[in-house]
Amino acid sequence: LASGSYDKTVKLWDPKAMEVKGTLKGHSAAVNSVAFSPDGNYVASGSGSRFKSDNSVRIWEVATGKELCSLKGHSNWVR
């Protein structure tokens, strides 16, 4: 399970234990959307707001929490 927040992070959760497994940091604005890859190995997160111009999609490796890439090109926030 993953959640995005106004605090600019993505949290990875263990739903059985109801605990945070990891925190992904790298966005400079609120995280508006998150989605897992079909195999569950990667998370994509979308960010941005009217006030901060992150406007990116970032790809993360779930096992390590490592940011693999940042996709930029949107002129407004990503949902």
Side-chain angles (χ1 to χ4, degrees):
L1 178 65
S3 60
S5 175
Y6 190 73
D7 70 3
K8 308 173 199 167
T9 68
V10 174
K11 298 279 189 193
L12 301 175
W13 298 86
D14 178 341
K16 290 182 182 176
M18 296 179 12
E19 295 177 346
V20 175
K21 291 173 44 177
T23 301
L24 310 178
K25 298 178 181 179
H27 284 289
S28 61
V31 177
N32 303 311
S33 58
V34 293
F36 278 93
S37 62
D39 62 10
N41 292 324
Y42 305 97
V43 169
S45 56
S47 180
S49 76
R50 315 183 256 180
F51 308 109
K52 296 227 176 182
S53 59
D54 185 326
N55 306 335
S56 69
V57 175
R58 295 176 191 253
I59 308 298
W60 310 85
E61 186 175 47
V62 172
T64 64
K66 180 181 176 185
E67 180 183 327
L68 301 178
C69 66
S70 178
L71 308 173
K72 298 182 180 186
H74 289 282
S75 61
N76 210 328
W77 56 5
V78 179
R79 292 187 181 179

